[in-house]
């Protein structure tokens, strides 16, 4: 499964479009290790009322993965497509930590 989090853009072919952070959390809780790729935006615009922004999502995902609350695909790819370069770099740093942790798990 490939998930695409964005409040305005449409996803590439083959991706499931998700418009809010809380909706994204619900998909991740439901499909856990079946998720292959998460393609994330930072700014959720008017939809930020429903869970915040892309960094809020990644911090939630990081905690859930590190504490064992979620068993995610060890080969999960997390991609950030935000046009806000500063926030994109921050997201990529968090994402790299999550994916490194997942790959280190047996």
């Amino acid at each position: 499964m490939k998930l695409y989090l964005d409040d305005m853009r449409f996803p590439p072919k083959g991706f499931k479009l998700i418009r809010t952070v809380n909706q994204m959390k619900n998909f991740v809780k439901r499909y856990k290790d079946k998720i292959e790729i998460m393609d994330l935006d930072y700014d959720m615009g008017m939809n930020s009322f429903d869970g915040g922004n892309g960094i809020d999502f990644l911090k939630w995902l990081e905690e859930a993965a590190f504490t064992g609350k979620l068993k995610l695909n060890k080969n999960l790819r997390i991609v950030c497509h935000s046009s806000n370069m500063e926030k994109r770099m921050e997201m990529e740093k968090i994402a790299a930590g999550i994916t490194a942790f997942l790959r280190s798990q047996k």
Side-chain angles (χ1 to χ4, degrees), residues 65-66 70-76 78 97-106:
F66 286 18
L70 284 176
K71 299 294 181 194
L72 300 170
N73 182 336
K74 74 174 198 164
N75 296 312
L76 175 66
I78 302 173
I98 295 168
T99 55
F101 173 78
L102 293 174
R103 283 163 182 71
S104 73
Q105 300 301 294
K106 293 183 179 183

Side-chain angles (χ1 to χ4, degrees), residues 47-92:
N47 293 346
S48 64
F49 74 91
D50 192 24
N53 58 46
I55 290 174
D56 296 322
F57 171 73
L58 282 172
K59 287 181 178 180
W60 170 84
L61 186 68
E62 180 179 52
E63 180 181 344
F66 286 18
T67 60
K69 291 178 183 172
L70 284 176
K71 299 294 181 194
L72 300 170
N73 182 336
K74 74 174 198 164
N75 296 312
L76 175 66
R77 285 185 50 220
I78 302 173
V79 179
C80 305
H81 64 263
S82 179
S83 56
N84 181 325
M85 290 308 293
E86 180 181 335
K87 297 302 182 180
R88 181 179 182 167
M89 288 173 36
E90 186 176 344
M91 289 175 70
E92 288 171 346

Side-chain angles (χ1 to χ4, degrees), residues 11-65:
K13 187 175 181 175
F15 281 74
K16 168 73 177 154
L17 176 61
I18 301 173
R19 292 290 189 195
T20 73
V21 167
N22 283 340
Q23 289 173 351
M24 185 73 161
K25 288 178 183 179
N26 288 333
F27 266 88
V28 172
K29 288 176 195 174
R30 183 172 182 184
Y31 295 104
K32 302 173 197 99
D33 65 343
K34 292 173 180 60
I35 302 167
E36 303 165 53
I37 302 173
M38 293 181 194
D39 193 338
L40 311 172
D41 189 18
Y42 164 72
D43 186 5
M44 293 291 102
M46 299 280 292
N47 293 346
S48 64
F49 74 91
D50 192 24
N53 58 46
I55 290 174
D56 296 322
F57 171 73
L58 282 172
K59 287 181 178 180
W60 170 84
L61 186 68
E62 180 179 52
E63 180 181 344

Side-chain angles (χ1 to χ4, degrees), residues 2-16:
K2 300 173 185 177
L3 304 179
Y4 189 85
L5 176 65
D6 200 296
D7 65 315
M8 294 181 59
R9 296 178 192 97
F10 290 95
K13 187 175 181 175
F15 281 74
K16 168 73 177 154

